[in-house]
Amino acid sequence: MAKAKCYKCEEKCGKGKISLEELQKLEMAYKAFLRTDSKSLVKKYLTRDVFDRLKYKRTTFGSTLLDCVQSGFENPDSNIGIYAADPSAYVVFADIFNPIIQDYHIGFKKSDHHPATDWGSLDKIGNLDPKGQYVVSTRVRCGRSIEGYPFNPSLTESQYWDIENKMISVLNGLEGELKGTYYPLNGMTKETQEKLIEDHFLFKEGDRFLQAANACRYWPVGRGIYHNQTKTFLVWVNEEDHIRIISLQPGGDLGAVYKRFVSGVADIEKKVKVIKSDRLGYLNFCPTNLGTAIRASVHIKIPKLASNMTRLNEIADRYHLQVRGTAGEHTEAKGGVYDISNKRRLGLTEAEAIQEMYNGIVEIIKLEKSS
Ligand code: ADP
Ligand code: ILO
């Protein structure tokens, strides 16, 4: 049977036109959001004009503007405030995603194209802190989405199982240093889960930004973590993205972490087709995780610089870095440990993203030494 066309958006999503109730709900939520003093990017760019242009649209998966912005509306303290409810949202709601992408990824314009994958020469990257004075640990991760599936808000319970089963069979085929075991969240004891979170290996539970984005439905179905014996190579399944591929180890040897990361990503991508767009590179749920989708971070102790957070943030901005708390975004630093990483992930190659983080961290360490 032919699918009904949406009102105005002309997409054949099968859900029909946006109903009056949907429009009223969206309008009320927007008006309430406008009254907040949110500093988020969605507040900055979702002007009445943009809102009116997008409010009738629906994606091929049936997602509306509200499906994308409800997390930012419910959490005015969001930094970004928008998620792509499904991959086609980046196109259907381009008028709001493009300016946010340009702002977050430091100048990536709507006419720009993300470059081809280039891991660079893996032996060139060194140790950020050879004497081990500042860097507690180093981590490189990326997000990947699997072809044929929407993102969290549109995934059915059986699709969560499907993705998990697909990944179990891919991950069970990893060899050598990457060889490990998959642990589903479903059935994991609270004690094990909490220990994994505390040790920075596992994603946290109950993230209010993801919950408001409808990204935690059927939890813990389909969610889990794979890791090798030494927990230096990990894969998260069905948290914010279908998969997050992670390499990490104590100390500042970015070269070793990056090499392991690249080999893990390559091995996984040989066995599973991931979603890539010509313009935006790898597509993931949050517009911060496009392009390379790489976040390379250190956990670092820089007590002198950290005594003036305004200055530390200014220095980070200068080197296109981002400062987070010890347990990740929206958390505080514990024991003087900060998480500092590359900010932009789109519009530059993998090699350039890693180099950007390397150069910035080396400068930060120099400044800490001379402070
Ligand atoms: P992500 O990096 O996956 O976007 P978060 O900022 O929430 O998400 O971080 C996830 C986890 O990774 C947190 O527990 C955080 O402490 C940990 N983490 C990030 N960078 C490092 C690092 N360099 N060393 C150890 N753990 C890290
Ligand atoms: N929606 C949250 C988080 C944005 C970026 N971080 C991640 C993990 N995707 C916000 O807008 O602050």
Side-chain angles (χ1 to χ4, degrees), residues 289-313:
N289 288 319
L290 296 169
T292 63
I294 283 185
R295 191 169 89 86
S297 64
V298 283
H299 269 184
I300 189 166
K301 284 189 176 180
I302 37 170
K304 290 179 190 152
L305 293 180
S307 66
N308 181 348
M309 282 309 285
T310 310
R311 178 157 176 258
L312 177 59
N313 280 315

Side-chain angles (χ1 to χ4, degrees), residues 25 43 48 59 62 96 135 137 143 175 197 238 245 264 310 336:
K25 192 173 164 203
K43 179 81 183 293
R48 169 51 75 176
T59 69
I96 180 61
V135 177
S137 51
E175 288 171 348
I197 295 172
N238 280 326
I245 305 169
T310 310

Side-chain angles (χ1 to χ4, degrees), residues 2-7 9-18 56-64 86 88:
K3 287 180 174 176
K5 274 193 177 181
C6 278
Y7 179 51
C9 82
E10 298 295 307
E11 297 283 349
K12 289 184 180 172
C13 67
K15 293 208 174 173
K17 69 179 189 180
I18 305 286
Y56 300 107
K57 294 188 181 235
R58 222 194 252 293
T59 69
T60 41
F61 284 99
S63 312
T64 65
D86 63 64
S88 65

Side-chain angles (χ1 to χ4, degrees), residues 236-292:
W236 294 352
V237 178
N238 280 326
E239 189 239 10
E240 176 171 323
D241 294 315
H242 296 164
I243 51 171
R244 284 279 175 92
I245 305 169
I246 302 159
S247 168
L248 97 157
Q249 69 185 51
D253 193 349
L254 178 62
V257 172
Y258 184 54
K259 233 186 237 179
R260 186 187 311 114
F261 169 79
V262 173
S263 95
V265 174
D267 284 1
I268 290 172
E269 286 187 4
K270 270 182 220 151
K271 295 180 184 160
V272 61
K273 201 162 163 27
V274 298
I275 307 180
K276 208 171 177 187
S277 117
D278 267 1
R279 187 169 91 79
L280 296 175
Y282 292 102
L283 293 188
N284 288 299
F285 188 41
C286 180
T288 61
N289 288 319
L290 296 169
T292 63

Side-chain angles (χ1 to χ4, degrees), residues 334-362:
K334 266 197 199 158
V337 176
Y338 288 83
D339 168 333
I340 308 188
S341 63
N342 60 305
K343 178 169 184 262
R344 58 178 175 158
R345 326 196 200 291
L346 170 70
L348 72 180
T349 66
E350 286 72 6
E352 287 165 346
I354 295 294
Q355 194 63 48
E356 186 151 278
M357 177 270 201
Y358 182 90
N359 295 345
I361 299 298
V362 165

Side-chain angles (χ1 to χ4, degrees), residues 137-158:
S137 51
T138 304
R139 174 181 187 261
V140 179
R141 65 84 164 149
C142 70
R144 291 290 188 263
S145 306
I146 296 163
E147 274 276 352
Y149 296 93
F151 297 155
N152 271 312
S154 307
L155 282 173
T156 62
E157 186 171 1
S158 80

